[in-house]
Amino acid sequence: MTGIWIMRIGHRPQRDKRVTTHVALSSRALGAKGIFVDTEDRVLEENVRSVCERFGGDFDIRTGIKWKDAVKKFDGMVIHLTMYGQRLDEALSKIPSDADLMIVVGAEKVPPEVYERADMNVSVGNQPHSEIAALSIFMDRLTKGGALYEERNGRFTVIPNERGKTVVEISK
């Protein structure tokens, strides 16, 4: 996989700020290169960039990106996550390992045109659930968990332990 990009459609800053932040942070943690958000939201950009500055990694966020233009210009495979697509376990084997991917996730009702423009519509289960859950499961299965404990060379790192929180500042 050369690069995974997320396209967030239908972001409503007053209503979805925490959810879209979690979509972005989950994308980052699970190995995406960046996220495009259809609605301009400078606060969202600042919050995500702040995490990247503190915890490292090469992750890009751009807001105010029209999804139709992004999908049209994207040179790779466009995958739309939806309850109505083909099953995840069947779809994974059809995704080329050398392709750039754009993963489309919606916030509100997704226009029918998204289903038509996507190269693949993939369902992560067939029950209503969060786009954060769908994206996380998809990314984890796609990357086989490869990004979960990847070193990102940030100012801070979290040390997993059975109890408590251990955040260490790295002196450089």
Side-chain angles (χ1 to χ4, degrees), residues 10-18 20 39-41 44:
H11 170 63
R12 299 156 292 187
Q14 293 310 318
R15 182 174 174 181
D16 299 325
K17 59 185 163 196
R18 287 186 53 84
T20 301
T39 305
E40 188 169 322
D41 189 336
L44 173 65

Side-chain angles (χ1 to χ4, degrees), residues 8 20-21 44 48 56 76 100-101 103 106 112 116 120 123 126 135 146:
R8 174 75 161 152
T20 301
T21 299
L44 173 65
V48 172
D100 282 334
L101 302 179
I103 313 301
E116 295 162 11
M120 187 181 287
S123 75
N126 61 355
L135 180 62

Side-chain angles (χ1 to χ4, degrees), residues 71-161:
V71 167
K72 188 176 186 177
K73 291 177 187 173
F74 188 72
D75 185 24
M77 185 174 209
V78 177
I79 299 171
H80 172 221
L81 297 183
T82 171
M83 290 188 320
Y84 308 107
Q86 62 183 301
R87 290 173 54 118
L88 172 62
D89 50 353
E90 295 169 1
L92 284 173
S93 64
K94 298 174 186 173
I95 300 171
S97 61
D98 61 346
D100 282 334
L101 302 179
M102 176 181 280
I103 313 301
V104 179
V105 292
E108 55 187 356
K109 186 175 170 148
V110 173
E113 196 173 357
V114 174
Y115 292 86
E116 295 162 11
R117 287 191 178 209
D119 295 307
M120 187 181 287
N121 292 289
V122 176
S123 75
V124 179
N126 61 355
Q127 296 295 312
H129 60 282
S130 141
E131 60 268 32
I132 302 163
L135 180 62
S136 296
I137 291 168
F138 178 84
M139 293 283 294
D140 185 63
R141 297 261 180 98
L142 180 71
T143 64
K144 297 179 175 83
L148 287 174
Y149 296 105
E150 185 177 273
E151 178 54 50
R152 309 260 164 98
N153 299 316
R155 284 191 352 246
F156 297 95
T157 191
V158 175
I159 307 298
N161 58 63

